[in-house]
Amino acid sequence: MSSTKKQMSVLFDPNEFVCAAMDAMGTRLYPVERVDDWAAFFSLNPFKRGTRRKDANVACYRNFLVEFDEVPLEQQLRFFDENRHLFASIVYSGGKSYHGVISLSDPLNGKLAYKALFKRLLKVTKCDPNNSNPSRFSRVAGHHRDDTLSDQSLYAVGNRIAVKDLDSWLSERGAPHVEILPRRAPILRMEGGKFPLSARTWRFLHQGAESGQSHKQCLLAAFDMLECNYTRDEALQNLQSAPWPSVEEGEIERILEHVYNEH
């Protein structure tokens, strides 16, 4: 079995659809059985059949990438050797990093739980924070890079890890478990004399905030809902249901207190 097939077989189930590409801009999906070293990149997680590589199309939240671009290779390798049991695969990128993929034996139930677990991984490992999105690319083992004249070589293949075992490893290192509650569906319909919400508020409630704009966009959305005759409880439910990054405890309530109590 080729190194690519070994890598794919531990990270994906048969008949899943994966994005594979020659460059980092690829979006096309293939059955995992067709992914081989012709590709330089593969998506961390599988997608719904008939879609494209995009976070919203992820079908299974199973795999996490741990990578250290700014750490010497020797130090990276020491970390992976010391924690080999965590990783289903470890691949040398053919450049300045190793790519370690943690694969869960029981996938998570959504993007919110995926993001929360990655934050814990980030706190413990200090890995690249840009790897938080579940549709991100990693390196295909066995592919030859023309730019560095090096191979993306398979360093190790392991097994998937149970969520409880990863949870224990993280908790022991200062990243305690955080319970992720399911989101309720937002109230986004006209009723009881409500006016239509602005396009800006709809985008925020459906897609979340732009980078660094969470507080501002939450505040603007709260004002919009007040003006559109949403009650404070309805506004709270909408803001809690929006797919924006986790916030400090009580921040949404403080924003609503400012908006609804002063106007």
Side-chain angles (χ1 to χ4, degrees):
M1 183 184 292
S2 70
S3 59
T4 310
K5 296 300 184 183
K6 290 179 181 177
Q7 181 189 27
M8 295 298 110
S9 66
V10 73
L11 300 182
F12 300 99
D13 292 341
N15 302 315
E16 288 185 325
F17 282 79
V18 180
C19 181
M22 288 293 295
D23 60 64
M25 302 302 292
T27 61
R28 183 178 176 182
L29 304 189
Y30 298 87
V32 67
E33 290 80 8
R34 288 182 55 190
V35 180
D36 213 325
D37 59 12
W38 60 266
F41 300 93
F42 74 96
S43 60
L44 280 176
N45 288 286
F47 298 93
K48 301 168 187 174
R49 183 173 184 172
T51 62
R52 295 278 179 171
R53 181 173 73 98
K54 184 179 180 182
D55 278 358
N57 296 331
V58 169
C60 178
Y61 294 87
R62 176 190 300 129
N63 299 325
F64 294 83
L65 175 61
V66 176
E67 177 191 10
F68 308 91
D69 268 349
E70 305 302 325
V71 176
L73 282 172
E74 296 80 6
Q75 188 175 336
Q76 295 180 39
L77 201 53
R78 190 179 314 120
F79 169 84
F80 287 119
D81 283 339
E82 290 174 353
N83 300 285
R84 183 80 66 90
H85 69 287
L86 297 178
F87 295 94
S89 73
I90 303 171
V91 171
Y92 173 52
S93 71
K96 58 181 179 179
S97 65
Y98 285 86
H99 285 210
V101 178
I102 296 172
S103 188
L104 302 178
S105 54
D106 296 306
L108 301 173
N109 63 4
K111 187 176 179 181
L112 185 65
Y114 187 93
K115 293 278 189 177
L117 184 52
F118 182 81
K119 285 184 179 180
R120 297 174 68 203
L121 278 169
L122 181 62
K123 180 176 181 179
V124 172
T125 65
K126 305 298 189 293
C127 63
D128 187 346
N130 293 316
N131 294 335
S132 64
N133 56 311
S135 64
R136 191 168 180 83
F137 272 149
S138 185
R139 296 280 180 172
V140 171
H143 180 79
H144 180 77
R145 291 182 62 169
D146 292 333
D147 56 342
T148 63
L149 301 180
S150 299
D151 290 334
Q152 297 174 175
S153 56
L154 185 62
Y155 179 72
V157 173
N159 298 293
R160 295 181 186 179
I161 186 173
V163 176
K164 63 179 181 61
D165 293 332
L166 179 58
D167 181 83
S168 296
W169 186 86
L170 291 168
S171 296
E172 290 167 0
R173 288 158 180 78
H177 176 78
V178 177
E179 188 69 29
I180 303 299
L181 299 176
R183 291 192 183 276
R184 295 169 291 178
I187 302 170
L188 296 174
R189 58 187 183 276
M190 283 192 66
E191 62 180 12
K194 294 182 179 64
F195 296 102
L197 295 172
S198 69
R200 179 189 62 208
T201 298
W202 273 78
R203 283 194 300 271
F204 173 70
L205 294 177
H206 283 291
Q207 302 173 13
E210 298 175 6
S211 177
Q213 297 292 310
S214 294
H215 183 90
K216 177 182 177 181
Q217 292 190 27
C218 179
L219 182 64
L220 292 173
F223 274 118
D224 190 27
M225 284 186 280
L226 173 67
E227 294 173 355
C228 291
N229 293 336
Y230 281 71
T231 68
R232 176 173 172 159
D233 286 344
E234 290 171 335
L236 177 63
Q237 182 177 334
N238 277 339
L239 294 174
Q240 288 177 332
S241 301
W244 54 312
S246 59
V247 294
E248 294 181 7
E249 184 177 359
E251 181 176 355
I252 295 176
E253 287 80 2
R254 288 193 292 272
I255 289 173
L256 291 176
E257 181 177 2
H258 169 71
V259 171
Y260 277 78
N261 288 359
E262 295 189 14
H263 298 81

